[in-house]
Amino acid sequence: MKTVDARGLACPEPLMMAQAAVKKADEPVEVLVDSVIPKENICKFAKKKKKDFSVEEREGVFHIVIQP
Protein backbone atom coordinates (compact mmCIF):
# COMPACT_ATOMS: atom_id res chain seq x y z
CA MET A 1 0.00 0.00 0.00
CA LYS A 2 1.27 3.44 -0.94
CA THR A 3 1.15 6.01 1.87
CA VAL A 4 0.83 9.75 1.33
CA ASP A 5 1.69 11.75 4.43
CA ALA A 6 -0.09 15.09 4.13
CA ARG A 7 -0.18 15.92 7.83
CA GLY A 8 0.37 19.58 8.62
CA LEU A 9 -0.39 20.73 5.08
CA ALA A 10 -3.16 23.14 4.14
CA CYS A 11 -5.66 22.61 1.34
CA PRO A 12 -5.47 22.15 -1.54
CA GLU A 13 -2.08 20.44 -1.18
CA PRO A 14 -3.30 17.23 0.57
CA LEU A 15 -6.03 16.80 -2.05
CA MET A 16 -3.58 17.32 -4.92
CA MET A 17 -1.16 14.81 -3.39
CA ALA A 18 -3.98 12.25 -2.98
CA GLN A 19 -5.20 12.78 -6.56
CA ALA A 20 -1.70 12.29 -7.98
CA ALA A 21 -1.11 9.12 -5.94
CA VAL A 22 -4.47 7.56 -6.84
CA LYS A 23 -4.02 8.38 -10.51
CA LYS A 24 -0.84 6.32 -10.84
CA ALA A 25 -1.52 3.64 -8.22
CA ASP A 26 -2.44 0.03 -8.89
CA GLU A 27 -2.72 -0.68 -5.17
CA PRO A 28 -4.60 0.96 -2.30
CA VAL A 29 -3.43 4.44 -1.31
CA GLU A 30 -3.44 5.53 2.33
CA VAL A 31 -3.59 9.29 2.87
CA LEU A 32 -2.75 10.70 6.30
CA VAL A 33 -4.19 14.09 7.24
CA ASP A 34 -4.63 15.80 10.58
CA SER A 35 -7.44 18.20 9.77
CA VAL A 36 -11.14 17.76 9.01
CA ILE A 37 -11.22 19.93 5.85
CA PRO A 38 -8.61 17.93 3.88
CA LYS A 39 -10.28 14.72 5.08
CA GLU A 40 -13.64 15.88 3.73
CA ASN A 41 -12.14 17.06 0.43
CA ILE A 42 -10.31 13.77 -0.14
CA CYS A 43 -13.46 11.77 0.66
CA LYS A 44 -15.46 13.90 -1.82
CA PHE A 45 -12.79 13.25 -4.45
CA ALA A 46 -12.96 9.47 -3.85
CA LYS A 47 -16.77 9.50 -4.09
CA LYS A 48 -16.68 11.55 -7.29
CA LYS A 49 -14.23 9.06 -8.85
CA LYS A 50 -16.42 6.17 -7.62
CA LYS A 51 -13.57 4.72 -5.56
CA ASP A 52 -14.18 2.60 -2.50
CA PHE A 53 -12.57 4.17 0.55
CA SER A 54 -12.51 3.99 4.32
CA VAL A 55 -11.66 6.53 7.00
CA GLU A 56 -10.34 5.82 10.46
CA GLU A 57 -9.21 8.37 13.05
CA ARG A 58 -6.34 7.36 15.31
CA GLU A 59 -4.78 9.79 17.79
CA GLY A 60 -5.92 12.86 15.87
CA VAL A 61 -4.79 11.57 12.46
CA PHE A 62 -7.26 10.55 9.76
CA HIS A 63 -6.20 7.47 7.80
CA ILE A 64 -8.04 7.47 4.49
CA VAL A 65 -7.55 4.31 2.42
CA ILE A 66 -8.64 4.63 -1.21
CA GLN A 67 -8.96 1.47 -3.27
CA PRO A 68 -7.63 1.41 -6.86
Side-chain angles (χ1 to χ4, degrees):
M1 179 180 327
K2 165 111 174 116
T3 300
V4 175
D5 188 349
R7 291 177 286 182
L9 301 175
C11 276
E13 196 168 1
L15 176 59
M16 293 176 4
M17 291 169 68
Q19 289 172 331
V22 168
K23 184 175 182 178
K24 58 186 172 185
D26 56 355
E27 62 184 345
V29 173
E30 179 182 42
V31 184
L32 307 177
V33 294
D34 54 4
S35 180
V36 173
I37 300 299
K39 175 194 72 103
E40 291 175 354
N41 288 339
I42 292 166
C43 291
K44 286 178 190 175
F45 157 73
K47 285 179 189 175
K48 184 177 177 181
K49 294 294 183 181
K50 297 183 175 25
K51 302 283 187 184
D52 289 329
F53 68 96
S54 62
V55 180
E56 183 179 333
E57 183 179 3
R58 287 182 253 153
E59 298 177 10
V61 176
F62 296 101
H63 297 254
I64 307 162
V65 177
I66 305 170
Q67 300 299 321

